[in-house]
Amino acid sequence: MALSIAERGRLRSQMRAGNPLDRRATEQVQATIDRRYAELESSMIHENRSYTAASHIMKTKHDTVKNSISSVR
């Protein structure tokens, strides 16, 4: 459940004024943080897998060329 722009502004105002957030607002903020964290974590896992795959491919190409050169000598 995403917060509207007006709700976000109201929450920011409350926090700046030092007023405690109501329970519903706190739950909404926590849900938003949890969702964004899960999205970030998923993105990082995907990026790590892509990097690892590219790294392995480059290492295999390097080893193949290295072995070919060694065989010629």
Side-chain angles (χ1 to χ4, degrees):
M1 171 171 32
L3 297 174
S4 70
I5 294 173
E7 289 173 323
R8 281 185 264 170
R10 182 180 60 81
L11 293 174
R12 280 193 202 106
S13 296
Q14 280 184 334
M15 288 187 288
R16 280 190 206 117
N19 297 337
L21 301 176
D22 62 0
R23 184 173 166 227
R24 181 173 170 265
T26 302
E27 288 172 355
Q28 286 180 333
V29 169
Q30 188 60 46
T32 302
I33 290 169
D34 291 346
R35 182 178 41 80
R36 288 183 181 171
Y37 181 82
E39 290 170 356
L40 176 63
E41 185 177 30
S42 176
S43 174
M44 290 176 67
I45 289 169
H46 176 72
E47 189 172 336
N48 184 37
R49 286 181 182 161
S50 298
Y51 174 82
T52 301
S55 175
H56 286 244
I57 290 169
M58 290 171 62
K59 183 180 183 328
T60 302
K61 285 182 177 181
H62 173 268
D63 291 347
T64 302
V65 171
K66 182 180 174 185
N67 289 335
S68 297
I69 292 170
S70 295
S71 296
V72 171
R73 291 180 184 178

